[in-house]
Amino acid sequence: NKGTEKSFQFLFRALYNTDALLFDTSDVVLRASDGKWIVSKSLKINSADPNWLLINNLRLFGETTKSYATVDYSSIVGSYDSTIYNSKNSTILGGRENRVYGGGYMTCESAIVAGCYNTMCCGIYSSVIVGGDRNRLTYYSGCSAIVAGYNNYMCCGNYSSAIVAGQCNAIYCNSCNSSVVGGCCNTINYYSCNSSILGGYENLVCCSCFSTVIGGCSNKIYGNGISVGMGGGNSIVAGSCNSIQIGSDYSSIFGGFQNIIESNNRFSSIVAGYNNVIVDLMVVGYSWIGAGDFNVVNGSHSTIICGTSNYNSQNYSIIGTGQSNYIAKSPNSDQSSSAIVAGVQNSIINNYFYD
């Protein structure tokens, strides 16, 4: 047709045997209030109609303002004064004053279901908070959950971890595939992957993978997971104020009070009792204390079965039971072994027996 772009191109080809590059000046004319921009907004609709869930990717038009917007995500929210922003494909369902937001890093495909004052923010993905009060899931954690409880907290690079019920429990800093179930003020932190705390009060797993605390109070497991990415395999089962320290991998305390397996005693155990100690020798442990109080093992592959204030510092040696028995370290400690079966204040020094 006359005056169209194609007609001009035909004319130039007929007259000059060449193609023409056409420039329409109307394309660059500045018009008042003609700018185009997009502002992210949310729209609350007071309706129980489930058809509102079917409007993803559809466009809404304002009858008065003539504005329009494409719906990225929709959900039915039966919550009071809750907020979702800078978040993609996330939901709040029920509850009161719950928050899902990005905080500079978008939170995606996550949900808060019921509860009050719960918060999910800063790079969370595929995660959920179910019920409870003042629970928080923050900073780059994915595929994780907090289920019920009060003031529980998970943050900083935890993947596939969970806190179930309890109060003031926490999982921190790349402790992936870990869990706290119940209890109060229990903590798993700093690269303690695949670890668990089941109940109890103020129990701690720090830098120790594949470790477990079951119940009790103020029990602590320390490992070297932050430096080598492994370490651990430790267990404390009940008791109070028991401790397994750095480098004592694959060791266990099964109860009692203030029992300690010091550093670098691998494959060692304290079964029960009070204030028993397996001392740091900077060697592989394989040592064992059964029960009693104030017993000390200071030798590798050594044992005190029970009793009180017994001291065994010789490798491959045993004290059965009794009180204040003593096996000293032999000058040929790698070639010697000794035993005191029972009694009071018996001593073996340099492989000689004194009564």
Side-chain angles (χ1 to χ4, degrees), residues 166-207:
Q167 177 176 336
C168 299
N169 297 309
I171 300 177
Y172 296 109
C173 299
N174 298 297
S175 296
C176 300
N177 307 312
S178 294
S179 61
V180 177
V181 181
C184 178
C185 301
N186 298 304
T187 302
I188 298 175
N189 65 15
Y190 297 112
Y191 301 90
S192 297
C193 298
N194 303 288
S195 295
S196 298
I197 297 176
L198 306 179
Y201 175 71
E202 284 190 348
N203 296 307
L204 171 67
V205 177
C206 179
C207 303

Side-chain angles (χ1 to χ4, degrees), residues 308-331:
T308 181
S309 301
N310 297 301
Y311 191 97
N312 185 355
S313 64
Q314 173 60 39
N315 297 341
Y316 304 100
S317 297
I318 183 171
I319 295 176
T321 186
Q323 179 179 345
S324 302
N325 297 302
Y326 175 60
I327 299 179
K329 195 172 187 66
S330 170

Side-chain angles (χ1 to χ4, degrees), residues 68-341:
Y68 64 90
T70 301
V71 178
D72 289 329
Y73 181 73
S74 60
S75 61
I76 293 179
V77 179
S79 179
Y80 174 78
D81 198 23
S82 295
T83 303
I84 299 177
Y85 61 93
N86 195 20
S87 179
K88 182 179 180 181
N89 299 336
S90 295
T91 300
I92 296 175
L93 181 60
R96 174 190 178 93
E97 296 188 46
N98 297 306
R99 303 285 184 268
V100 176
Y101 63 94
Y105 299 90
M106 183 170 288
T107 295
C108 305
E109 290 82 37
S110 297
I112 296 178
V113 181
C116 61
Y117 305 107
N118 297 307
T119 300
M120 187 180 295
C121 72
C122 304
I124 303 302
Y125 59 95
S126 303
S127 297
V128 64
I129 296 176
V130 181
D133 183 359
R134 292 173 172 82
N135 296 309
R136 293 166 292 158
L137 208 165
T138 66
Y139 295 108
Y140 323 116
S141 297
C143 301
S144 296
I146 298 176
V147 181
Y150 174 79
N151 201 28
N152 296 307
Y153 185 42
M154 188 185 305
C155 78
C156 302
N158 296 300
Y159 180 83
S160 193
S161 295
I163 298 175
V164 181
Q167 177 176 336
C168 299
N169 297 309
I171 300 177
Y172 296 109
C173 299
N174 298 297
S175 296
C176 300
N177 307 312
S178 294
S179 61
V180 177
V181 181
C184 178
C185 301
N186 298 304
T187 302
I188 298 175
N189 65 15
Y190 297 112
Y191 301 90
S192 297
C193 298
N194 303 288
S195 295
S196 298
I197 297 176
L198 306 179
Y201 175 71
E202 284 190 348
N203 296 307
L204 171 67
V205 177
C206 179
C207 303
S208 183
C209 300
F210 307 102
S211 296
T212 302
V213 177
I214 302 177
C217 172
S218 298
N219 296 307
K220 296 175 173 60
I221 296 175
Y222 299 95
N224 55 3
I226 194 168
S227 60
V228 299
M230 282 290 293
N234 301 304
S235 297
I236 297 178
V237 182
S240 179
C241 301
N242 299 303
S243 175
I244 299 176
Q245 298 181 358
I246 295 173
S248 295
D249 302 331
Y250 313 108
S251 296
S252 301
I253 297 175
F254 294 96
F257 178 65
Q258 288 186 344
N259 298 304
I260 301 174
I261 299 177
E262 294 186 351
S263 300
N264 305 303
N265 280 291
R266 304 179 70 196
F267 305 101
S268 297
S269 295
I270 297 176
V271 177
Y274 167 66
N275 206 23
N276 298 301
V277 180
I278 298 178
V279 177
D280 178 8
L281 291 176
M282 298 300 293
V283 296
V284 174
Y286 295 97
S287 296
W288 192 84
I289 295 176
D293 60 343
F294 298 100
N295 296 304
V296 178
V297 170
N298 196 16
S300 176
H301 300 81
S302 295
T303 298
I304 296 176
I305 296 177
C306 63
T308 181
S309 301
N310 297 301
Y311 191 97
N312 185 355
S313 64
Q314 173 60 39
N315 297 341
Y316 304 100
S317 297
I318 183 171
I319 295 176
T321 186
Q323 179 179 345
S324 302
N325 297 302
Y326 175 60
I327 299 179
K329 195 172 187 66
S330 170
N332 299 316
S333 60
D334 293 335
Q335 303 174 9
S336 304
S337 59
S338 303
I340 296 175
V341 177

